Amino acid sequence: MLRSTALSLTVMFSFIFVLSPVANNISGLQEAARYLPDYAGSQVMRVGTQADAVIGPWTGLLILLAWTVAALAGGYVVLRRRDA
């Protein structure tokens, strides 16, 4: 959705390395941080049932799928508005 590759990478890395750890350390945002792509992706890689897992691997995969669909939909909308 952004025209600059450098800006896109900056947003992605700040989202993963800044927003997620900050959200995990604030008690009111911990529940919402479970639905960020980095946490959901780490849950997909877990094998078996583990007591400390809040979401399971299939739920994590569905969350990643929802993030992907949202990014593709946003890109489609921006493409149609700017370059149509």
PDB file of all heavy atoms in Angstrom, residues 40-54:
ATOM      1  N   ALA A  40       0.973 -15.131  16.349  1.00  0.00           N
ATOM      2  CA  ALA A  40       0.175 -16.170  15.677  1.00  0.00           C
ATOM      3  C   ALA A  40       1.069 -17.091  14.854  1.00  0.00           C
ATOM      4  O   ALA A  40       0.882 -18.306  14.838  1.00  0.00           O
ATOM      5  CB  ALA A  40      -0.886 -15.529  14.792  1.00  0.00           C
ATOM      6  N   GLY A  41       2.068 -16.524  14.189  1.00  0.00           N
ATOM      7  CA  GLY A  41       2.991 -17.342  13.407  1.00  0.00           C
ATOM      8  C   GLY A  41       3.822 -18.261  14.272  1.00  0.00           C
ATOM      9  O   GLY A  41       4.124 -19.395  13.891  1.00  0.00           O
ATOM     10  N   SER A  42       4.204 -17.802  15.456  1.00  0.00           N
ATOM     11  CA  SER A  42       4.974 -18.671  16.344  1.00  0.00           C
ATOM     12  C   SER A  42       4.114 -19.817  16.875  1.00  0.00           C
ATOM     13  O   SER A  42       4.629 -20.904  17.143  1.00  0.00           O
ATOM     14  CB  SER A  42       5.570 -17.866  17.504  1.00  0.00           C
ATOM     15  OG  SER A  42       4.553 -17.412  18.371  1.00  0.00           O
ATOM     16  N   GLN A  43       2.825 -19.592  17.007  1.00  0.00           N
ATOM     17  CA  GLN A  43       1.940 -20.658  17.466  1.00  0.00           C
ATOM     18  C   GLN A  43       1.726 -21.715  16.389  1.00  0.00           C
ATOM     19  O   GLN A  43       1.482 -22.875  16.701  1.00  0.00           O
ATOM     20  CB  GLN A  43       0.590 -20.078  17.907  1.00  0.00           C
ATOM     21  CG  GLN A  43       0.685 -19.165  19.104  1.00  0.00           C
ATOM     22  CD  GLN A  43       1.317 -19.837  20.295  1.00  0.00           C
ATOM     23  OE1 GLN A  43       0.930 -20.919  20.683  1.00  0.00           O
ATOM     24  NE2 GLN A  43       2.306 -19.186  20.865  1.00  0.00           N
ATOM     25  N   VAL A  44       1.812 -21.320  15.142  1.00  0.00           N
ATOM     26  CA  VAL A  44       1.657 -22.286  14.043  1.00  0.00           C
ATOM     27  C   VAL A  44       2.778 -23.317  14.079  1.00  0.00           C
ATOM     28  O   VAL A  44       2.578 -24.484  13.765  1.00  0.00           O
ATOM     29  CB  VAL A  44       1.631 -21.546  12.682  1.00  0.00           C
ATOM     30  CG1 VAL A  44       1.692 -22.517  11.526  1.00  0.00           C
ATOM     31  CG2 VAL A  44       0.399 -20.687  12.586  1.00  0.00           C
ATOM     32  N   MET A  45       3.961 -22.899  14.498  1.00  0.00           N
ATOM     33  CA  MET A  45       5.125 -23.786  14.490  1.00  0.00           C
ATOM     34  C   MET A  45       5.176 -24.726  15.694  1.00  0.00           C
ATOM     35  O   MET A  45       6.038 -25.586  15.760  1.00  0.00           O
ATOM     36  CB  MET A  45       6.407 -22.961  14.444  1.00  0.00           C
ATOM     37  CG  MET A  45       6.504 -22.081  13.211  1.00  0.00           C
ATOM     38  SD  MET A  45       6.311 -22.969  11.669  1.00  0.00           S
ATOM     39  CE  MET A  45       7.801 -23.906  11.661  1.00  0.00           C
ATOM     40  N   ARG A  46       4.278 -24.590  16.638  1.00  0.00           N
ATOM     41  CA  ARG A  46       4.282 -25.473  17.813  1.00  0.00           C
ATOM     42  C   ARG A  46       3.756 -26.851  17.446  1.00  0.00           C
ATOM     43  O   ARG A  46       2.848 -26.989  16.635  1.00  0.00           O
ATOM     44  CB  ARG A  46       3.426 -24.890  18.927  1.00  0.00           C
ATOM     45  CG  ARG A  46       4.079 -23.693  19.550  1.00  0.00           C
ATOM     46  CD  ARG A  46       3.279 -23.247  20.737  1.00  0.00           C
ATOM     47  NE  ARG A  46       3.973 -22.129  21.344  1.00  0.00           N
ATOM     48  CZ  ARG A  46       4.351 -22.103  22.595  1.00  0.00           C
ATOM     49  NH1 ARG A  46       4.067 -23.105  23.384  1.00  0.00           N
ATOM     50  NH2 ARG A  46       4.971 -21.057  23.074  1.00  0.00           N
ATOM     51  N   VAL A  47       4.308 -27.858  18.074  1.00  0.00           N
ATOM     52  CA  VAL A  47       3.905 -29.234  17.813  1.00  0.00           C
ATOM     53  C   VAL A  47       3.253 -29.785  19.064  1.00  0.00           C
ATOM     54  O   VAL A  47       3.775 -29.641  20.171  1.00  0.00           O
ATOM     55  CB  VAL A  47       5.125 -30.104  17.423  1.00  0.00           C
ATOM     56  CG1 VAL A  47       4.714 -31.545  17.224  1.00  0.00           C
ATOM     57  CG2 VAL A  47       5.787 -29.550  16.183  1.00  0.00           C
ATOM     58  N   GLY A  48       2.111 -30.418  18.890  1.00  0.00           N
ATOM     59  CA  GLY A  48       1.433 -31.033  20.030  1.00  0.00           C
ATOM     60  C   GLY A  48       0.682 -30.019  20.864  1.00  0.00           C
ATOM     61  O   GLY A  48       0.593 -28.841  20.548  1.00  0.00           O
ATOM     62  N   THR A  49       0.121 -30.487  21.953  1.00  0.00           N
ATOM     63  CA  THR A  49      -0.605 -29.595  22.853  1.00  0.00           C
ATOM     64  C   THR A  49       0.312 -29.157  23.973  1.00  0.00           C
ATOM     65  O   THR A  49       1.011 -29.956  24.580  1.00  0.00           O
ATOM     66  CB  THR A  49      -1.832 -30.309  23.439  1.00  0.00           C
ATOM     67  OG1 THR A  49      -1.392 -31.469  24.141  1.00  0.00           O
ATOM     68  CG2 THR A  49      -2.798 -30.721  22.342  1.00  0.00           C
ATOM     69  N   GLN A  50       0.306 -27.889  24.231  1.00  0.00           N
ATOM     70  CA  GLN A  50       1.126 -27.339  25.298  1.00  0.00           C
ATOM     71  C   GLN A  50       0.246 -26.474  26.177  1.00  0.00           C
ATOM     72  O   GLN A  50      -0.590 -25.721  25.690  1.00  0.00           O
ATOM     73  CB  GLN A  50       2.294 -26.535  24.731  1.00  0.00           C
ATOM     74  CG  GLN A  50       3.229 -27.398  23.925  1.00  0.00           C
ATOM     75  CD  GLN A  50       4.353 -26.590  23.304  1.00  0.00           C
ATOM     76  OE1 GLN A  50       4.410 -25.398  23.448  1.00  0.00           O
ATOM     77  NE2 GLN A  50       5.246 -27.280  22.622  1.00  0.00           N
ATOM     78  N   ALA A  51       0.448 -26.569  27.477  1.00  0.00           N
ATOM     79  CA  ALA A  51      -0.415 -25.882  28.430  1.00  0.00           C
ATOM     80  C   ALA A  51      -0.260 -24.372  28.373  1.00  0.00           C
ATOM     81  O   ALA A  51      -1.205 -23.638  28.623  1.00  0.00           O
ATOM     82  CB  ALA A  51      -0.124 -26.385  29.844  1.00  0.00           C
ATOM     83  N   ASP A  52       0.925 -23.868  28.027  1.00  0.00           N
ATOM     84  CA  ASP A  52       1.137 -22.425  28.022  1.00  0.00           C
ATOM     85  C   ASP A  52       0.672 -21.750  26.736  1.00  0.00           C
ATOM     86  O   ASP A  52       0.688 -20.534  26.626  1.00  0.00           O
ATOM     87  CB  ASP A  52       2.607 -22.097  28.276  1.00  0.00           C
ATOM     88  CG  ASP A  52       3.522 -22.628  27.171  1.00  0.00           C
ATOM     89  OD1 ASP A  52       3.112 -23.559  26.466  1.00  0.00           O
ATOM     90  OD2 ASP A  52       4.639 -22.098  27.051  1.00  0.00           O
ATOM     91  N   ALA A  53       0.240 -22.504  25.747  1.00  0.00           N
ATOM     92  CA  ALA A  53      -0.223 -21.925  24.489  1.00  0.00           C
ATOM     93  C   ALA A  53      -1.632 -21.363  24.667  1.00  0.00           C
ATOM     94  O   ALA A  53      -2.532 -22.053  25.123  1.00  0.00           O
ATOM     95  CB  ALA A  53      -0.215 -22.968  23.389  1.00  0.00           C
ATOM     96  N   VAL A  54      -1.792 -20.103  24.338  1.00  0.00           N
ATOM     97  CA  VAL A  54      -3.094 -19.459  24.470  1.00  0.00           C
ATOM     98  C   VAL A  54      -3.967 -19.766  23.264  1.00  0.00           C
ATOM     99  O   VAL A  54      -5.150 -20.033  23.397  1.00  0.00           O
ATOM    100  CB  VAL A  54      -2.909 -17.932  24.645  1.00  0.00           C
ATOM    101  CG1 VAL A  54      -4.242 -17.240  24.750  1.00  0.00           C
ATOM    102  CG2 VAL A  54      -2.060 -17.652  25.871  1.00  0.00           C
TER     103      VAL A  54
END
